[in-house]
Amino acid sequence: EVQVLESGGGLAQPGGSLRLSCAAYGFTLSNYAMSWVRQAPGKGLEWVSIISGSDGSTYYADSVKGRFTISRDNSKNTLYLEMNSLRAEDTAIYYCAKAVVMGLIDYWGQGTLVTVSS
Amino acid sequence: DIQMTQSPSSLSASVGDRVIITCRANQGISNYLAWFQQKPGKAPKSLIYAASSLQSGVPSNFSGSGSGTEFTLTISSLQPEDFATYYCQQYNSFPFTFGPGTKVDIK
């Protein structure tokens, strides 16, 4: 059964850093594109980043470009999101999502909450 | 960036009603359009991809159509478990933008 399980969320101070993890089960991470999507409290969905399964190319939303880094460890079948220079507006539930092809999400994780506050 | 809009932003309907949600892109996206369902406090669930193809396990009372800039999600007979918020998303070009959502609640 395909599952993705996020962890690493929590409270961070403005300007601080946090690393999210997403463990993949039931499929080989490196064979698929993987996305991060976030949802601020009471708001809609916002696409954050994606990493290609084929060549590891990465893409980011303008709102996080230069601050966030998506990566994967194929040996651990795990996806990461390194978040630096955090801002209050980064407060959200962060979902890890598996994609069939670039951008086409078929499975979602349960999400992990990131709160940026002093 | 491609901007996605949805209408209506919310609607009230009864069990058994036919519900139609519209999603528009401000430029052509071919059929690179997906629909997601989200219930309160839960992760989104993938419903439809390529504008009209149902994800595995999605009930047949859901259907999608459209191409280019205008798309629709139709629920042919609303069931109690279908009350949720629905989002469209384009995956034609970066960044992969979502619509603002349509909340379907009980009349």
Side-chain angles (χ1 to χ4, degrees):
Chain A
E1 181 188 2
V2 170
Q3 287 187 53
V4 290
L5 190 62
E6 305 94 334
S7 59
L11 179 64
Q13 292 198 333
S17 299
L18 215 52
R19 188 178 81 157
L20 305 182
S21 299
C22 170
Y25 302 95
F27 68 100
T28 301
L29 195 78
S30 58
N31 290 342
Y32 296 92
M34 295 293 296
S35 272
W36 288 97
V37 176
R38 69 184 181 184
Q39 187 170 36
K43 302 297 184 182
L45 300 171
E46 179 188 13
W47 177 80
V48 172
S49 181
I50 192 167
I51 183 166
S52 164
S54 57
D55 62 5
S57 299
T58 58
Y59 302 86
Y60 300 92
D62 286 345
S63 56
V64 307
K65 198 174 295 181
R67 300 188 299 123
F68 289 12
T69 302
I70 190 172
S71 63
R72 65 184 184 219
D73 184 332
N74 294 337
S75 67
K76 296 182 179 180
N77 219 36
T78 299
L79 177 76
Y80 301 101
L81 186 67
E82 186 77 39
M83 304 186 295
N84 298 317
S85 303
L86 283 164
R87 306 167 180 166
E89 53 265 34
D90 295 319
T91 294
I93 296 172
Y94 284 73
Y95 294 102
C96 167
K98 171 184 170 289
V100 177
V101 294
M102 212 55 169
L104 173 50
I105 293 170
D106 58 350
Y107 287 96
W108 298 73
Q110 86 291 346
T112 187
L113 177 62
V114 171
T115 303
V116 182
S117 174
S118 55
Chain B
D1 297 2
I2 296 176
Q3 308 301 320
M4 306 299 291
T5 59
Q6 289 181 234
S7 59
S9 57
S10 65
L11 65 92
S12 295
S14 301
V15 173
D17 283 354
R18 180 183 180 89
V19 169
I20 298 174
I21 299 169
T22 298
C23 173
R24 290 184 176 89
N26 68 346
Q27 57 185 275
I29 59 170
S30 185
N31 68 336
Y32 294 99
L33 192 282
W35 288 97
F36 304 97
Q37 175 194 66
Q38 188 178 34
K39 297 180 180 179
K42 301 294 186 182
K45 173 187 174 182
S46 301
L47 294 178
I48 286 172
Y49 65 98
S52 61
S53 297
L54 260 60
Q55 289 281 2
S56 175
V58 173
S60 58
N61 62 317
F62 287 92
S63 63
S65 65
S67 182
T69 61
E70 187 156 333
F71 304 86
T72 58
L73 172 69
T74 300
I75 309 173
S76 59
S77 177
L78 199 65
Q79 300 302 300
E81 59 270 24
D82 300 334
F83 291 96
T85 299
Y86 293 85
Y87 295 92
C88 61
Q89 183 221 359
Q90 67 82 18
Y91 53 99
N92 179 75
S93 61
F94 297 109
F96 296 144
T97 41
F98 288 89
T102 295
K103 185 177 180 181
V104 177
D105 62 21
I106 301 172
K107 182 184 285 186

